[in-house]
Amino acid sequence: MKGAFLSDKVPGIIAIIAVALGAYWASNSAAEKAVSLPAPAYDAAVATTQETAVFAGGCFWGVQAVFQHTAGVLNAVSGYAGGARETANYERVTSGQTGHAEAVQVTYDPRQISYGKLLQIFFAVAHDPTQLNRQGPDHGTQYRSALFWRNAGQKEVAERYIAQIEAARAFPGKIVTQLAPLSTFYPAEDYHQDYATLHPRSAYIVAFDAPKIANLKQLMPEVYREKPALVAAQK
């Protein structure tokens, strides 16, 4: 579970061991796998103002990092969606009893990247949509695959794209991604923001999240950008 990696303040030889262990995990983890997916056959109409979308696909550190390295994304904030305000904190959410999913709210310029393209990235490299209530080493409903749609347009694009890639049999298993209306998105605690960028030597990041960024660069170079759009830069 990623909670075990929140404290990366290990000295000397322990830090070296942690990095080595992370490299071993990276060479053997599902996070390294990506799927080449077709572009959406149906997409949202191009808007002239910025839009937002909320994605949940396991630990928010990796999902946030992938979208932060996506051209056209203006901001990507880790947080919680699907539950109540009073339980929207890491300590409560990790119980798996709050209804929340660890999620990322993506603000993007639809003139540069579409909602459908963000979905393609989400399914291709950000997570495995066939894993039910888990991603990698993290288990529980808080790590479920989910798309929280903000309007009927997003819902239709998501439904059609899932049907498209299911029909193409892009994955060996059934897509279990939940589609749900977004009530409210609650930003996570500050220490969760920009985590992959701030802790690149964390064993967890090395094993499970850095490979996702590498896969984005390799699989979809047309949307990859080297410099991430950090939450800290927005403040």
Side-chain angles (χ1 to χ4, degrees), residues 22-51:
Y24 171 78
W25 280 334
S27 66
N28 292 277
S29 80
E32 280 198 300
K33 297 178 182 178
V35 178
S36 180
L37 296 178
Y42 175 82
D43 209 339
V46 177
T48 57
T49 57
Q50 66 183 35
E51 300 278 351

Side-chain angles (χ1 to χ4, degrees), residues 30-86:
E32 280 198 300
K33 297 178 182 178
V35 178
S36 180
L37 296 178
Y42 175 82
D43 209 339
V46 177
T48 57
T49 57
Q50 66 183 35
E51 300 278 351
T52 60
V54 176
F55 304 86
C59 171
F60 42 30
W61 296 342
V63 178
Q64 180 190 44
V66 166
F67 286 120
Q68 287 180 322
H69 282 276
T70 298
V73 169
L74 307 175
N75 198 12
V77 179
S78 290
Y80 311 107
R85 177 183 298 276
E86 57 268 21

